[in-house]
Amino acid sequence: MRPKIFNLGLSRTGTMWLDTVFNESGLKSAHFLGVEPDKALHRIEALDCAGDTPIPSMAARLKALYPDAKFVLTTRPKEQWLSSMEWMLKHGAVIWSYGKAVDAYHQDFYGTAKFDRRILSDFYDRYHAETQELFRDEPERLLIIDITDKDVEAIAAFCDLDVEQLKVQQKPVNARRKAGLKARVKWTLKRVLNRIP
């Protein structure tokens, strides 16, 4: 049985792009497994790879549960990440209709459910330092890759994939777009209705 591969990259660091890489290489990969780690663990059993929420919050747990697993940490320059997180927490929240559970996850994991540059900047530094420290004694299990390079060859070598089979487009897979008026009105109404007892 193939060892599992987990992407510990934070949201907005090319997690969907890497999921596409894995799926196009013939692996069974999933992106965003919800916000409940225990439910995510159940789904992971049927997968080869998993990334995005809640995988980064489960790094130590997954490392212990899957001693043969490999881990990829997708990154991007912090200022680019902060800009993308600002989009995610403003427009993305509307487009994907975030509810209380997602807000609670963001608050618990990132320290804020709304865009706060200082909190998110501090979190970015701390998370990457802690993740690297987690693998200090087993550096061979962690690949850190800046997604601005989209180094498919490095991913293929680390994950034992045939790079020739990869047909990944080099453009972003989950590009930003503005939330339209209709989506914003629907999102606002949902928020208001959820507050009514």
Side-chain angles (χ1 to χ4, degrees):
M1 187 173 170
R2 169 183 263 286
K4 294 192 184 295
I5 305 167
F6 297 106
N7 180 7
L8 301 179
L10 299 172
S11 294
R12 309 310 298 170
T13 64
T15 56
M16 188 173 283
W17 175 80
L18 186 59
D19 180 65
T20 302
V21 170
F22 290 148
N23 278 303
E24 289 189 356
S25 69
L27 299 177
K28 188 172 182 184
S29 183
H31 176 267
F32 187 81
L33 297 176
V35 295
E36 297 178 47
D38 289 336
K39 287 186 178 179
L41 274 178
H42 180 71
R43 288 188 61 196
I44 284 167
E45 285 305 310
L47 299 170
D48 297 310
C49 317
D52 203 69
T53 304
I55 300 302
S57 70
M58 301 167 64
R61 189 174 179 187
L62 292 170
K63 182 175 179 275
L65 284 172
Y66 297 97
D68 296 328
K70 294 186 175 186
F71 295 82
V72 178
L73 176 61
T74 51
T75 66
R76 69 191 300 183
K78 183 163 69 169
E79 283 305 314
Q80 287 183 17
W81 180 75
L82 288 168
S83 174
S84 198
M85 286 295 287
E86 182 174 18
W87 173 86
M88 185 184 88
L89 294 171
K90 290 180 179 177
H91 293 282
V94 176
I95 291 166
W96 297 312
S97 193
Y98 287 167
K100 292 179 183 177
V102 174
D103 285 346
Y105 174 85
H106 288 159
Q107 183 67 47
D108 183 55
F109 183 56
Y110 292 107
T112 181
K114 299 190 182 308
F115 182 74
D116 184 306
R117 178 173 291 276
R118 182 189 58 79
I119 290 174
L120 290 171
S121 178
D122 290 347
F123 174 82
Y124 178 97
D125 295 335
R126 187 172 63 252
Y127 176 78
H128 289 95
E130 289 174 356
T131 302
Q132 290 179 59
E133 178 62 22
L134 180 63
F135 289 90
R136 183 168 52 88
D137 295 331
E138 297 180 281
E140 71 282 357
R141 293 181 68 192
L142 178 68
L143 171 68
I144 301 172
I145 187 161
D146 183 332
I147 59 103
T148 56
D149 297 332
K150 291 197 166 76
D151 191 347
V152 176
E153 287 79 11
I155 295 167
F158 180 74
C159 299
D160 299 320
L161 303 175
D162 182 355
V163 72
E164 298 304 320
Q165 291 182 354
L166 298 180
K167 303 179 185 100
V168 179
Q169 298 174 358
Q170 294 300 306
K171 64 182 182 180
V173 177
N174 192 13
R176 298 184 221 181
R177 60 195 187 278
K178 287 192 174 183
L181 179 61
K182 183 178 178 182
R184 196 161 285 284
V185 168
K186 183 178 175 183
W187 179 77
T188 303
L189 282 172
K190 181 179 174 183
R191 292 282 185 158
V192 170
L193 291 173
N194 281 338
R195 291 188 186 131
I196 298 173

